[in-house]
Amino acid sequence: MGTKVSTMLAPLWQGLPPVDPAAISGAVTWTLRPQYESVRGARQFTRETLQRWNMDELFDSVALVVSELVTNALRHAAPERDDSAEGAAYEEAYGAAAATPPKLHLIRWAGWLVCAVRDCSDASPIEGEADFSAESGRGLYLVDSFSDSWGWHRLEDAAHGKVVWALFDLPQVPAQAAAPKAS
C-alpha cells in the first residue's frame, strides 16, 4: 500500500498498535446509507471482500461483528431529525456530522483483520446489560465474544466522530501449505 492509503486510513490507527504501512496488504471502505438495509449490504460487502482475500473461513464471526458495529452506528450515531430542525436549519445545527455518513473499513494488516466503523458521534459505545428477554442490548458483548480485541477512539482530524474497531487474528498458513509443490 502506498502513502495515499496510509494517509487515508490514518484516523483508524489511533488507539491501535503502531502500523507499518508495508504490513497492510489490503484495505477497502464502504460508505453506509443511513438506513437499516445497510446492515445487509455491509455483510455482503464483507463476504465479497473476504472471498477476494481468501478468508472465507472468517466470514461468520466477522459478519456478526460487522452487523453489530454497523447497527450501532446507524442506531446511535446518526443525528436524529426532529420536527423543529428541517433542511438548512438541521444542517446548521448538526453541521458536518449530519452530512458525514458512517463508513465500514476492512483492513488486512500483518497477522490481523481490522474491522472498523467510523461515524459522526462523539458518544462512547456503551456495553449494555440486556434483560434475558430483550431483543437488543447485547451488541458489544457479541463484538467482544467474537473478535480477538475491540476498542474505540474519537477522531482527532474531525470536529466530531469516532471509530469503533475489532481485530481478528488471521490463521497462520503452514509453511509447506504456502510453498508451491515441486513437480
Side-chain angles (χ1 to χ4, degrees):
M1 294 279 153
T3 305
K4 181 177 179 185
V5 172
S6 298
T7 303
M8 176 183 76
L9 299 174
L12 299 179
W13 306 133
Q14 301 165 13
L16 292 174
V19 174
D20 173 7
I24 300 171
S25 57
V28 293
T29 300
W30 192 62
T31 301
L32 302 163
R33 298 178 75 190
Q35 54 196 19
Y36 288 116
E37 291 81 14
S38 290
V39 177
R40 184 180 67 215
R43 282 192 304 268
Q44 183 62 33
F45 174 78
T46 300
R47 177 183 299 279
E48 292 167 2
T49 300
L50 293 179
Q51 285 174 340
R52 267 193 323 275
W53 291 348
N54 296 317
M55 297 181 184
D56 300 53
E57 71 278 5
L58 295 177
F59 175 73
D60 291 335
S61 295
V62 175
L64 184 135
V65 168
V66 163
S67 295
E68 295 302 330
L69 295 181
V70 167
T71 298
N72 285 349
L74 294 173
R75 180 176 290 160
H76 303 294
E80 293 184 30
R81 281 190 190 264
D82 61 22
D83 294 335
S84 64
E86 293 195 22
Y90 178 77
E91 295 297 325
E92 184 177 322
Y94 294 103
T100 306
K103 293 182 183 202
L104 167 64
H105 304 276
L106 298 173
I107 303 141
R108 190 171 55 185
W109 163 49
W112 299 95
L113 173 69
V114 180
C115 168
V117 175
R118 182 178 180 161
D119 65 48
C120 62
S121 172
D122 291 331
S124 65
I126 300 170
E127 288 187 69
E129 294 202 21
D131 181 89
F132 75 94
S133 63
E135 292 184 20
S136 63
R138 295 178 189 84
L140 292 176
Y141 173 77
L142 293 172
V143 170
D144 185 56
S145 297
F146 283 83
S147 67
D148 291 294
S149 177
W150 76 277
W152 74 280
H153 57 269
R154 286 191 174 84
L155 297 175
E156 293 175 0
D157 66 338
H160 296 284
K162 69 177 174 297
V163 172
V164 182
W165 50 265
L167 295 176
F168 295 87
D169 189 17
L170 296 178
Q172 298 299 314
V173 179
Q176 59 265 53
K181 294 183 179 183
S183 30

